[in-house]
Amino acid sequence: MRRVAVASLLGTSIEFYDFFIYGTAAALVFGPLFFPALGGAAATVAAFATFGVAFFFRPVGAVLFGHFGDRLGRKKTLVSTLLLMGLSTFAIGLVPTAETIGVAAPILLVTLRALQGLAVGGEWAGAALLTAEYAPSGKRGLYSMFPQLGPGIALAMSSTTFLITALAMSPESFAAWGWRIPFLLSLVLVAVGLYIRLKIEETPVFKQSTARREQVKLPFVEVLRDQWRQVLLTGGMLTMTFGVFYTSSVYLTSYAGQAPGVGVLGLSRPTVLVGGVIAALVFCVAVIVSALYSDRIGRRRVLLVGTVASMIAGPLAFVIMQPGSSLSFFLGISLLMVVLAIPYGPAAAYLPELFHTRYRYTGAGMGYNLGGILGGAVPLIVAPPLAAEFGGIGVGFYLTALGLISTLCVLAMKDTKDVIMDGGPPAVPGAAAAATS
C-alpha cells in the first residue's frame, strides 16, 4: 500500500508539474515570445488561450486512456500517460519562438499543449483508481489523498524552478532561453516516475474484474448509458475546484505582477513565485485534513463545506489582495487554495466509488475532466476582461458563481464513504452506503 501511495503521489506530481510549468511560462513570457504581433495584454490573453487548449483535450484523453485503462489495466495505461506527458513537455522546451519560425511557432506550441491535455486527461483517473482500488474501505480517503497532493507539490516545484531560474539570470536571458530549463528538466522527472510505476502491480479490484470477464468493448458508451448523471454531476461538482485553482495558480501570476496591461498589484516576479510556493504548501495541508475527515464524516459533507465556503472566499480574497503588498497577496491566494482543497481532498476516493469497475477509469476521468473544461479553461479566458471592466472583485464574484454551481451538484449527490469496491453493481444515488461499486 505504501508503494502504491508513493507511485500515485510521484506520478501525479510529475505529470502536473509538466502541466503547470506551461501555465507559469504562459503568464510570464509566452505572450511576447509566441504572439509578438498582438502586443501587451492581448498577447498574454492569447498565451492563456493556448493554456486552455489542453482542457478541451482532457476529456478526449479521459475517453481514450479510460478505454485502455478499463480493458487492459490501470498500470499499463498510467505508464503511457506519463510517457506522453514527458515527451510533449520536453518538446515544448525545444520549440523555436515566433521570431525564428513565424506562425509555425504558436502552431507547434498549441499542438504540444493538446498532447499534454490528452496525457493529463488520462492520468488523474488512473492514479485515483490505483489508490482507491487498493485501499481498505475505511481508509480510502486516507490513501486516496496521495494523488490529490500531486497538484500542490507540482505547483510548488514549478514555482520554485522558475524562481531559481529567474534569480540566476537577467530578465533578458530568462526571456531568451532560461524559461526552457524547467521544460527540459522534466525528462529527468519522467524517468524517475516511470521507474517507480513499473515496480507496482495491477490493482486487485481490476484483477477480480478481469477474472470475472467483466471488461466491455466500449466503456465510454456503457458509462454514458448507465451513469451519465454521475458524469455530469461530478463535472459540475469540480467546476469550482478547477476554476479557483487555475485562477490562483495561473491568472494571479499575471494579475499580481507587472505585466503590461494585465498586472494590477505590481509585485516583483520573485514575490509572485514565492506566493505560488506558499499557496501550494497551504493547499497540501488542506487536502490532507479534508481527505482524512472524509473517512470520518463522509465525502459529501466535506465537499459541501468547500463549495459553500468558496462562494464567500472568491470576492473576499480579491479584497484582501487589494492593498497590493506581498503579505496581502500571500493571504489572498492562500485563502483561495484552502477552499478549493477542501472538496479536492476527498475527490480521488469519491469519484471511483461512484462508478462500476468495468468502466470506472472512463467514468471517473470523464467527470473529472468535464469539470476541467468548465472550471479550468473558461476562467482564464474571462478573467482578464472581467478584471479590466470591474476590477479583481469581478473575478471574485465569477468564482462565487462557480461555487454555487458546484454546491447545487453536491446537493444532488449522495455519500459513498461505505461503498465496497469489489466489482459489484455501481453505487446508486439515495442508497450509496448500502450499495457496492
Side-chain angles (χ1 to χ4, degrees), residues 317-337:
F318 279 89
V319 171
I320 291 173
M321 288 186 283
Q322 197 58 46
S325 67
S326 56
L327 177 60
S328 64
F329 173 63
F330 296 161
L331 291 175
I333 193 173
S334 296
L335 172 62
L336 291 175
M337 283 293 183

Side-chain angles (χ1 to χ4, degrees), residues 214-232:
E214 291 183 340
Q215 279 64 49
V216 294
K217 289 185 177 180
L218 294 173
F220 171 69
V221 174
E222 294 265 340
V223 74
L224 287 184
R225 184 191 66 193
D226 297 344
Q227 291 192 270
W228 60 270
R229 183 173 178 268
Q230 281 86 347
V231 171
L232 293 179

Side-chain angles (χ1 to χ4, degrees), residues 4-5 12 42 54 62 64 84 129 133 156 184 188 205 264 270 273 285 292-293 328 333 352 363 367 394 412:
V4 169
T12 53
L64 175 65
L84 179 60
L129 266 58
E133 290 185 345
L184 300 178
V188 178
V205 172
V264 175
L273 292 171
V285 172
L292 293 176
Y293 265 91
S328 64
I333 193 173

Side-chain angles (χ1 to χ4, degrees), residues 203-276:
T203 70
V205 172
F206 183 80
K207 288 180 179 178
Q208 293 171 19
S209 178
T210 303
R212 290 192 292 261
R213 300 180 183 274
E214 291 183 340
Q215 279 64 49
V216 294
K217 289 185 177 180
L218 294 173
F220 171 69
V221 174
E222 294 265 340
V223 74
L224 287 184
R225 184 191 66 193
D226 297 344
Q227 291 192 270
W228 60 270
R229 183 173 178 268
Q230 281 86 347
V231 171
L232 293 179
L233 287 175
T234 51
M237 176 191 81
L238 291 168
T239 296
M240 177 280 294
T241 300
F242 277 99
V244 177
F245 187 87
Y246 287 103
T247 298
S248 303
S249 61
V250 178
Y251 171 68
L252 286 183
T253 303
S254 290
Y255 177 85
Q258 302 170 352
V262 290
V264 175
L265 301 184
L267 300 174
S268 67
R269 182 176 295 174
T271 300
V272 174
L273 292 171
V274 169

Side-chain angles (χ1 to χ4, degrees), residues 6 28 159 179 191 224 359 365 368 387 400 420:
V6 171
L28 296 178
S159 298
W179 64 269
L224 287 184
Y359 48 64
Y368 183 83
T400 296
I420 300 172

Side-chain angles (χ1 to χ4, degrees), residues 125-215:
L129 266 58
L130 196 64
T131 52
E133 290 185 345
Y134 259 107
S137 58
K139 295 183 178 180
R140 204 174 291 136
L142 165 65
Y143 286 109
S144 293
M145 78 179 179
F146 285 95
Q148 302 305 81
L149 292 173
I153 294 172
L155 179 58
M157 289 167 57
S158 172
S159 298
T160 300
T161 304
F162 275 101
L163 177 62
I164 294 172
T165 306
L167 291 175
M169 60 186 65
S170 67
E172 293 75 21
S173 297
F174 179 80
W177 57 271
W179 64 269
R180 298 181 184 275
I181 295 175
F183 291 91
L184 300 178
L185 285 176
S186 70
L187 203 61
V188 178
L189 298 177
V190 168
V192 174
L194 282 175
Y195 174 78
I196 294 172
R197 283 198 167 170
L198 289 170
K199 292 288 186 180
I200 60 174
E201 297 291 334
E202 186 55 77
T203 70
V205 172
F206 183 80
K207 288 180 179 178
Q208 293 171 19
S209 178
T210 303
R212 290 192 292 261
R213 300 180 183 274
E214 291 183 340
Q215 279 64 49

Side-chain angles (χ1 to χ4, degrees), residues 15-50:
E15 290 240 14
F16 279 99
Y17 166 82
D18 288 355
F19 196 73
F20 291 159
I21 56 176
Y22 188 103
T24 305
L28 296 178
V29 295
F30 275 1
L33 291 179
F34 291 94
F35 305 95
L38 298 178
T44 302
V45 172
F48 281 159
T50 65

